[in-house]
Amino acid sequence: MTRQIEGTAVIVTGGARGIGRATVERLARAGASVAVGDLDPDLAAEFTAGLGPRVMAAHLDVTDPASWRAFLESVAELGPWDVLVNNAGIMPLGSVLKEDDALTRAIFEVNVHGPINGIKAVAPAMVDRGQGHIVNVASAVGRVPVPDAATYSASKFAVVGFSEALRMELAPSGVDVSLILPAVVQTELSDGVPAAKGMKPVTAEDVAEAIESVIREPRPEVWVPNWAQALTKITQAMPRSVQDFVDRATNASQLLAGVDPAARAAYEERVRRNVR
C-alpha cells in the first residue's frame, strides 16, 4: 500500500548537510512536517528558513540520550512522529592500525549508538500508536567491506544487523524498519574518494529520492543505485576466486587507497574536532 508524504511528521538526523539536507528539502516539498536534528542547528536553520513553518531545526547530538530528549521537546509541536530517518554518520578514513582509539569509539558512537538512541527515544510512541516507520541510512560497505575504512565498515555492518533484527521485533507492533544502502555518494563525507569503475556517481538527491520512495512504500532494504544489490548478492554467492576476480575488475577493494588527502582535509579535521 502506497502511503502519502503530505501530512506526515518526520525526523531527519544529520539534516544540515548532504543526504540529510536533500532529504529534508524533498520531504518538505512533498508536504511533510520535518524536524531537523544536527550538531550545527544554525546551518540547518539557514536552509530550513525558506521551507515553511512545518520545518524546524534544533541541536541534536545523536550519541547522547539526554540530547535526544531535549531535541524532542523542542520540536514536539510537529509531532507525533510517523517516520524517523537515522541519517547522521561520520566516515573518517585510513588504516585502522593508525586510528586513534577515541576516533574508533566515536565512529561507533555516532554510526551505531546514534540510531539506537534515536529509536529508543522515538519508537516507543510509534509502538503505542500501532504505526510508524524507522529508516536507517547505512551504506553499501555494511554489506561489502572495503579496506582503509574498517571501523566505518564495521559500524555499518552493525547497523544492518541491528535493523534486520529490529524489523522482526517491531513488525507485530505495526512499525516498519527499512535500510538504505548507498554506494559512494557525492557529499562532504566522500570528498577525495575516486569513483568506482563503471559506476555512475551517486548524488545526495538520489539517496533522498530513495528515502522518499521507501517512506511511500516501505521495503526492508533499498540500495542506491538499485542494481548494486543484485550484483552484490550474486557475487557473494559465488566462490571466493570469482569474488576476487570481480573485485579486481571493479577495483572495489582499492577504492580508498586512491583517496586524495588534501581534498578530504577539511572534512577529516571537522570530524576529529568533535571527537571526545
Side-chain angles (χ1 to χ4, degrees), residues 97-185:
L97 302 183
K98 300 177 182 178
E99 188 174 88
D100 183 81
D101 291 342
L103 183 59
T104 301
R105 288 191 295 271
I107 294 170
F108 271 83
E109 284 293 330
V110 176
N111 296 356
V112 181
H113 292 283
I116 293 174
N117 290 337
I119 289 162
K120 287 182 175 181
V122 178
M126 293 180 175
V127 171
D128 289 344
R129 296 197 313 275
Q131 62 181 16
H133 195 173
I134 307 295
V135 180
N136 291 331
V137 180
S139 169
V141 302
R143 293 286 192 194
V144 184
V146 179
D148 294 303
T151 304
Y152 176 76
S153 185
S155 73
K156 294 303 184 178
F157 265 79
V159 172
V160 169
F162 177 79
S163 299
E164 291 188 340
L166 185 70
R167 178 169 56 84
M168 292 186 287
E169 183 175 329
L170 296 185
S173 303
V175 178
D176 295 302
V177 178
S178 298
L179 268 169
I180 305 293
L181 289 91
V184 176
V185 184

Side-chain angles (χ1 to χ4, degrees), residues 161-227:
F162 177 79
S163 299
E164 291 188 340
L166 185 70
R167 178 169 56 84
M168 292 186 287
E169 183 175 329
L170 296 185
S173 303
V175 178
D176 295 302
V177 178
S178 298
L179 268 169
I180 305 293
L181 289 91
V184 176
V185 184
Q186 291 182 312
T187 65
E188 187 184 22
L189 266 74
S190 64
D191 280 350
V193 178
K197 287 183 179 179
M199 181 173 287
K200 180 183 177 182
V202 176
T203 67
E205 288 70 25
D206 292 333
V207 184
E209 181 180 2
I211 292 170
E212 179 186 2
S213 172
V214 85
I215 292 173
R216 291 186 183 277
E217 186 180 346
R219 282 155 286 165
E221 184 173 320
V222 174
W223 286 57
V224 188
N226 189 56
W227 58 262

Side-chain angles (χ1 to χ4, degrees), residues 196-259:
K197 287 183 179 179
M199 181 173 287
K200 180 183 177 182
V202 176
T203 67
E205 288 70 25
D206 292 333
V207 184
E209 181 180 2
I211 292 170
E212 179 186 2
S213 172
V214 85
I215 292 173
R216 291 186 183 277
E217 186 180 346
R219 282 155 286 165
E221 184 173 320
V222 174
W223 286 57
V224 188
N226 189 56
W227 58 262
Q229 179 176 12
L231 177 62
T232 299
K233 289 187 175 182
I234 291 170
T235 302
Q236 291 183 334
M238 293 179 175
R240 176 63 69 174
S241 59
V242 177
Q243 294 182 42
D244 291 342
F245 173 80
V246 173
D247 174 69
R248 289 193 297 273
T250 60
N251 203 36
S253 68
Q254 298 304 310
L255 186 64
L256 300 182
V259 165

